[in-house]
Amino acid sequence: MSNMVQAIRMALHVAEERHGVTDIFGEDVGPPLGGAFTATQGLKTAWNSPLDERGIVGASIGLGLAGCRNVAEIQFCDYAFNAIDLLKLGGMIHWSSNGDWNCPMTIMTPVGSGIRGSIYHSHSFDATATHIPGYKIAIPSTPKDAYGLLLSCVVDPNPCFFLVPKALMRVRAQPGEEIPGEPGDDKALSKLIDAPLGERSQWKPQWPDTPDLFIPFGEARTVRPGRDLTVVSYGRTLPLCARAAEELSREEIEAEVIDLRSLHPYDWERIAESVRRTGRALFVNEDTEITNFGEHLLRRTVEELFYELIAPPRLLAGAHVPGIGLADSLEMASVPQLPSITEAIRSLARIEP
Amino acid sequence: MSTSLRPVLSPPETELSPELLRKLHELMVKGRLLEERLMQMYRQGDGYFWIGGPGEEAFNVPLGLLIEKGRGPQYDYCHFHYRQSATLLAMGADPIDSLRMMKNTATDPYTGGRNFSGHYSIREWNVVPISSPIEVQYAMAPGTAIAQKRIAGGRGITIVTGGDAGTAEGDFASCLIWSSRPANPLPVLILVTNNKWGISTHWQGQHGEKRISDRGKAFGIESKTIDGNDPEICYRELRGAMEYVRSERRPFLMEAIVSRLYGHSSASGANRVNDEADCLQGFEHRLEERGLLTRAQIEELRARFAAELQEAHRKVRQEPMPEGRTIFDHVFSDRDLVRERP
Ligand SMILES: Cc1ncc(C[n+]2csc(CCOP(=O)(O)OP(=O)(O)O)c2C)c(N)n1
């Protein structure tokens, strides 16, 4: 069963074979490395760009304008900040031309903490991405979602962000969550599509026959049903929320956990339906808490569901500090972890009106 | 003035035909009068902001005439900046549409009243949306050129233009780097119109290299600085450089020294300056000397265009403004996801 990186690779293979993707590029994206996280190994349209994030985003827009579906990687989202105005430009091509031009492009970038990446390999990008209109934004938490969301990105006529939680890249799919057509055996899959270590110039992957699978934007997934409260999360913190909910069911707290998967458009209907039932809402992500996407969801919850709430809705997010420090204790204190999530769910569930 | 590194296809020394010279002149007059009308509209309150290219017509008109216009990578991609109304006119744009953009009417075919004057966008002609952030077009240009380079036997090229001060932005360096990599040199005509000014900062406060075109040297890019006030030189040099980029599928960097006749924009008053060469006056003297045009013919031409533009202005004044509720239109090209919010 694939991990997320392998799922991304398989999706990109399908994208270049069947969906007209002409360019998959970025720093160290092409051979021999195939990406800092190996997500682009063995792909026939993958190439190495100069070490120039502004150039990468600019080229991605240019290719999109020329009608070339492309996936441009920013090696770490921490290095996308010098390209914000170009990212904004991509998001306004269609609008500023009053609907004349469109620009298919996917910006793929690893996000978040969890690999002890210290200050400059741990930033989140969801608050920034959701602040740039004109993009569809996907952030998977499982290999299968990564596969299906990435395919939705590449066929979309608009700019898309595909945010890859670094902490989940090597996590394997749960049983029942496999991508159709992939070998069930990890070793068998690795033999087919992982480049050998060292000399690999003659290596060619053997791609399993995986299907077109499009997970639509704006469709969240209920990971776990529950009657007591609604937990909305995505990316690295999502599996932690699911685990916390699992553990808390022993205390007779039944939390419903929703994986948003797509941040724009986002599945407000699913959130609202759930919160109407439970009357309690917790939003969890790891971006810095001030002007955070979870705050937006919380604001809508208050504005639109106020009279159906039993307890004040809550946001659990990253501390508003400039970066995430390297030491384990610093990272643990900076972004939500299993204990803080568990405690947040527990305390919200126990508030009595 | 040439600082060509190695001999490139030198443009033929042949004279341009009288017909072509008259055409260049006519378009330069049209371009100048259009800018004057746009400034007048600004002064009369028929627009919030003016920026344009009076003083750059000798360069912009030949450029427009030489572009292979059309849609898609077989044709030239134009990554322009905000001083190129004359290029658009030479490509065949209707001047009244520039007035519509100035007045931000709903009928503005380029942006529907969304963007400033001079910020053209025409997909049919591969004119990508001109945007205000300085130099970003130089970062996008390699993208369209990569697509063009892939077409076997393709002749389409990517053309990118901007000012001199903006070359301090990293995007200019990005363009030089991306277009000259030995692994994949790109068919980009990299143009810089050097009017010697940022907004108010003279070039001596901007950069130290003697010629901006010298920056091409380090990358092995064919480079040249030309007199951008002489339309004959511009036509020949642009034709030569374009032919090189079209056939060799490699970049060319050209810097044209131009004038800025009305300051930076309406923000600095848009007043006529008297200490800069006027390319149109110079060209008219030459055409008169050569007996290709008479003063009377020139005056007649001016009067005709001025009247047409005045009439167009009157018409545009009556046209509707965009409605506020249209702000959500075209956020996405498939579905309007913002508006669909319950
Ligand atoms: C990135 C960016 N910074 C600043 C500005 C404000 N600005 C507009 S025009 C300009 C000067 C540009 O000078 P130059 O590149 O020489 O072009 P010119 O206008 O002289 O043709 C400045 C600073 C801007 N539009 N974009």
Side-chain angles (χ1 to χ4, degrees), chain A residues 22-23 48 50 52 54-56 58-59 61-63 66 89 94-102 134-136 157-158, chain B residues 77 111-112 114 121 123 127 129 131 136 139-140 143-144 147 150 171 174 178 181 327 329-330 332-334 337 341-342:
Chain A
T22 55
D23 297 84
N48 293 324
D52 175 14
R54 294 183 62 83
I56 290 167
I61 298 173
L63 282 162
L89 193 64
H94 187 63
W95 187 88
S96 68
S97 65
N98 209 19
D100 191 25
W101 283 91
N102 74 300
Y135 282 79
K136 300 185 186 175
N158 299 287
Chain B
Y77 278 104
T111 80
R114 288 177 175 188
S121 167
R123 190 175 203 172
V127 176
S131 70
V136 290
M140 294 187 287
T144 50
R150 268 204 289 261
D171 296 339
S174 289
W178 284 68
R181 292 187 303 155
I327 58 170
D329 292 350
H330 312 304
F332 289 107
S333 69
D334 44 357
L337 294 155
R341 254 182 65 164

Side-chain angles (χ1 to χ4, degrees), chain A residues 324-339:
Chain A
I324 293 179
L326 177 59
D328 187 65
S329 51
L330 301 179
E331 178 164 327
M332 292 300 124
S334 301
V335 284
Q337 306 294 347
L338 186 59

